[in-house]
Amino acid sequence: MENRRKTGYYLLFAILGIAVLVALDQWTKSLAVRYLAGQDALVLIPGVFQLEYLENRGAAFGLLQNQIWLFIILTAIFLAAAVWIYLRLPKTRRYLPLHIIAVVLVSGALGNLIDRIRLGYVVDFFYFSLIDFPIFNMADIYVVLSFFALMICILFVYREEDFSFRGSKRGEDADEEDKL
């Protein structure tokens, strides 16, 4: 009964977290459409950072232009894998960082998927002109930050044996002393 309640709390956290982050992403994109589309770039820090509207029909750096169905299929596969992993992660304090990373990563993938399905492209608007970095959006920030956090966790926080839960059903084999 306690495991079922804890699983419910973790699922509620995930759903609410994803909803908030996706809403923030979609809201900032709607502001970009409203105030930046068809306008000159809004320079916030000259020579460093500006807001510039872009309809991105590809991936990062303009790769795979107009391959919307490929992106939709790959995102659907990624989301299914992320949900599968999230449900199997032990519901303990030790694995809380991975739960948070999963929520942020899924939010980024969903934010851009919504654009691709609804618009046929992704709305981008942040531009670091100092380093001529590709124009990006909030969902991209979620994906990149959560990816780096995941790499840090895998390289420096967790050991191989910390992932022994992989074969279990919904992460129920966690140590008792590590439970919240």
Side-chain angles (χ1 to χ4, degrees):
M1 185 66 161
E2 179 66 26
N3 270 347
R4 181 172 272 169
R5 183 185 323 246
K6 189 176 286 187
T7 298
Y9 288 137
Y10 273 75
L11 286 175
L12 180 62
F13 161 77
I15 292 167
L16 290 175
I18 290 167
V20 167
L21 291 174
V22 169
L24 178 61
D25 171 67
Q26 292 296 301
W27 178 66
T28 59
K29 289 173 179 174
S30 71
L31 292 174
V33 170
R34 177 184 247 173
Y35 296 108
L36 299 173
Q39 305 294 319
D40 290 334
L42 176 61
V43 178
L44 298 176
I45 304 172
V48 177
F49 181 68
Q50 61 194 39
L51 300 177
E52 183 175 328
Y53 181 80
L54 174 73
E55 296 175 357
N56 184 353
R57 289 174 167 72
F61 307 104
L63 299 173
L64 301 171
Q65 289 291 308
N66 297 312
Q67 300 296 316
I68 187 170
W69 287 107
L70 176 64
F71 290 120
I72 290 171
I73 291 167
L74 290 176
T75 303
I77 291 168
F78 165 78
L79 290 172
V83 168
W84 184 83
I85 291 168
Y86 187 90
L87 292 174
R88 279 156 183 75
L89 281 171
K91 310 315 183 257
T92 66
R93 184 175 324 196
R94 172 112 176 101
Y95 294 93
L96 186 59
L98 293 178
H99 283 274
I100 293 168
I101 289 168
V103 165
V104 176
L105 195 55
V106 165
S107 299
L110 276 176
N112 283 340
L113 179 64
I114 290 168
D115 280 13
R116 289 186 199 288
I117 292 171
R118 192 171 62 89
L119 305 170
Y121 55 85
V122 173
V123 174
D124 289 332
F125 53 92
F126 293 127
Y127 178 52
F128 280 100
S129 56
L130 178 67
I131 57 173
D132 195 26
F133 195 78
I135 301 174
F136 58 98
N137 60 45
M138 291 297 294
D140 298 333
I141 293 170
Y142 300 160
V143 170
V144 171
L145 289 180
S146 58
F147 176 78
F148 281 120
L150 180 61
M151 291 300 100
I152 290 168
C153 285
I154 289 172
L155 293 172
F156 302 110
V157 176
Y158 299 102
R159 297 181 306 267
E160 187 173 339
E161 55 268 17
D162 290 327
F163 296 104
S164 63
F165 65 84
R166 290 179 299 185
S168 69
K169 183 179 176 186
R170 293 195 317 234
E172 293 171 356
D173 65 346
D175 295 332
E176 283 296 318
E177 71 270 2
D178 197 24
K179 291 185 178 180
L180 289 174

